[in-house]
Amino acid sequence: LHVSTVILTMYDGRTKLADQVADEVRGHFGSAVLKSVIPRSVKVSEAPGYGMTVLDYDPGSRGAMSYLDAGREMAARAAASDGREVEA
């Protein structure tokens, strides 16, 4: 099994546990872990209850913006591995 990308989700930077888990995951998976993290968010939790993604439910929320950042980071990684550039 090859793990190409790891995204930290439900991250709460206010807690030491979140930082410890993030450090442990980064230590184990190294560069496969995205720099972008998805924070714990009420909007992210509510969206599926309405049959929507967080990008549709509340596009300006922290959670939605974090998913967009993660997507951009993944696209940039894919482009770099193909020798291409991605516009921000």
Side-chain angles (χ1 to χ4, degrees):
L1 175 67
H2 170 72
V3 177
S4 65
T5 306
V6 176
I7 303 174
L8 298 172
T9 62
M10 298 181 70
Y11 180 81
D12 186 347
R14 299 172 297 176
T15 67
K16 287 183 182 180
L17 177 61
D19 288 332
Q20 290 171 344
V21 169
D23 289 345
E24 189 70 25
V25 170
R26 286 191 171 101
H28 184 76
F29 290 102
S31 63
V33 182
L34 295 182
K35 291 181 178 119
S36 303
V37 297
I38 312 303
R40 181 175 295 275
S41 163
V42 171
K43 298 295 183 180
V44 171
S45 299
E46 288 176 344
Y50 293 95
M52 303 171 82
T53 68
V54 70
L55 295 172
D56 293 324
Y57 182 65
D58 190 352
S61 68
R62 268 182 7 135
M65 300 307 285
S66 296
Y67 272 108
L68 288 173
D69 290 343
R72 286 186 195 103
E73 189 175 345
M74 290 175 67
R77 286 182 178 202
S81 70
D82 291 346
R84 298 177 285 132
E85 280 190 35
V86 173
E87 293 183 29

